[in-house]
Amino acid sequence: MRRSPAAVPFVLLPLLPLLLAAPVPRAATELAPAVRLVPGAFVPGRQPDGNSVLIAAPDGLIVIDTGRHPEHAQAILAAAKAWGRPVAAVVNTHWHLDHVGGNPRLRAAHPGLQVTASGAYEKARTGFLARYRAQLEQLIAETPDATRQEPYRAELALLDAGAALGPDQVVRAGGERTIAGRRLRIGLEGPAVTAGDVWVYDPGTRILVAGDLVTLPVPLLDTACPAGWAAALGRLAAVDFQRLVPGHGAPLDRAGFARYRAAFGGLLECAAGKAADAACIEGWLRDAGPLVSAGEQAFARSLLEYYVPLLRDPEPLRARCAGS
Ligand SMILES: [Zn+2]
């Protein structure tokens, strides 16, 4: 089955042949005494989970992003329990399902927790996500095998959560903000990865949680305005962070981020020129260097075979950069 890239959001196309791959185990690791990471998973054959970061605050834990699959939300809840603190607040970096999918489970386990995010989800519900729902329904209709329908049905169930995926507190501007009693710096970008992307800087630990403004093994361009994204990376570079947690992939130091940013710029430049798609793909792998491990190269190539043509399709990009 072939579909135009625009019709298959969330890297569904490269994942289709292997959608039933085995789940990936996740355990929390300590980034600083007050900060733990529940790593997401982004592997061929499965829709991704974004990374989640847990920050200890006076009123309980702040959880930044909640993953997509139930087992990721479960890992966050287990990490909170092991830490002996309730989840007091959630911050979502953006509305993609691999970052907000666990919100309903966390709300159920910790009633009263406040979710903070940009206002972009509401618009996505009637736009991008409504189209995604229609595509899932079509895929189910075209898939006679009930077992193979399961991943699509799971996505529909997530979409059915509706408002439970969205924020209680809407970020309308960047700046200092106290969440669960801890002072944080919040950035608001967009259009970049989505129409409204939030990043979180914790001055106490100098950890910057970037969401999908930084993703490995490649930038995930499904809903992106690339030029706005590049500008947002410039603002991240001005933050005095020591360690940056990307939306997908392992934490980076400043040198790793600088390399990512340069590779991102190179990819955009290549896509804007006359080089073949394959040259842009190899250029990304060359510029990203050790950020993409040998074991991830084939996966990175397959993703970019999908994303580079997206970068060369001017009309959808214009619309997204105009905020629609
Ligand atoms: Zn993501």
Side-chain angles (χ1 to χ4, degrees):
M1 171 177 33
R2 294 276 318 164
R3 288 171 182 280
S4 73
V8 187
F10 297 119
V11 294
L12 201 53
L13 186 64
L15 302 183
L16 270 175
L18 295 163
L19 265 172
L20 300 174
V24 179
R26 343 166 139 69
T29 56
E30 186 175 290
L31 298 181
V35 183
R36 293 184 189 176
L37 168 70
V38 174
F42 188 24
V43 293
R46 196 168 156 80
Q47 291 282 39
D49 288 294
N51 287 327
S52 292
V53 174
L54 282 56
I55 303 179
D59 302 342
L61 293 176
I62 303 163
V63 175
I64 305 171
D65 287 344
T66 60
R68 173 190 232 111
H69 297 100
E71 55 268 35
H72 186 93
Q74 224 33 63
I76 295 169
L77 292 170
K81 195 170 177 197
W83 209 345
R85 294 165 192 260
V87 178
V90 165
V91 180
N92 292 129
T93 58
H94 61 296
W95 57 260
H96 286 175
L97 297 180
D98 52 329
H99 298 261
V100 302
N103 287 7
R105 275 170 198 272
L106 265 64
R107 285 184 197 273
H110 297 274
L113 73 76
Q114 291 284 300
V115 176
T116 299
S118 84
Y121 172 63
E122 272 313 309
K123 204 167 175 189
R125 275 177 85 179
T126 54
F128 191 92
L129 289 173
R131 292 194 293 278
Y132 184 43
R133 174 186 289 279
Q135 288 152 16
L136 288 166
E137 282 165 352
Q138 194 186 334
L139 283 167
I140 288 169
E142 290 170 357
T143 308
D145 179 346
T147 311
R148 295 194 71 85
Q149 288 179 356
E150 275 171 26
Y152 308 135
R153 292 198 182 281
E155 294 286 276
L156 279 183
L158 261 184
L159 293 175
D160 285 341
L165 298 171
D168 307 297
Q169 308 285 337
V170 175
V171 177
R172 300 191 193 281
E176 301 265 312
R177 205 172 174 110
T178 301
I179 298 178
R182 190 171 177 118
R183 200 85 179 137
L184 299 169
R185 193 170 141 208
I186 302 284
L188 178 63
E189 308 289 347
V193 178
T194 69
D197 303 315
V198 167
W199 50 260
V200 180
Y201 177 60
D202 177 44
T205 58
R206 293 181 62 200
I207 289 172
L208 171 62
V209 185
D212 279 6
L213 292 166
V214 179
T215 61
L216 288 163
V218 305
L220 306 178
L221 292 150
D222 303 78
T223 57
C225 167
W229 187 335
L233 292 178
R235 284 183 287 277
L236 289 188
V239 177
D240 186 31
F241 69 87
Q242 217 164 39
R243 229 165 162 198
L244 179 149
V245 182
H248 301 268
L252 301 175
D253 59 13
R254 290 200 71 93
F257 171 71
R259 186 180 265 273
Y260 175 87
R261 187 182 166 205
F264 186 94
L267 182 66
L268 263 49
E269 203 178 311
C270 186
K274 294 201 183 316
D277 289 3
C280 298
I281 294 170
E282 295 312 310
W284 166 263
L285 291 173
R286 179 194 63 231
D287 294 347
L291 299 181
V292 180
S293 70
E296 290 173 314
Q297 301 245 331
F299 183 38
R301 279 196 182 89
S302 73
L303 290 168
L304 286 176
E305 280 165 11
Y306 172 69
Y307 286 126
V308 171
L310 241 63
L311 279 174
R312 293 179 145 168
D313 197 357
E315 268 319 308
L317 292 185
R318 247 195 295 276
R320 279 191 229 128
C321 291
S324 56

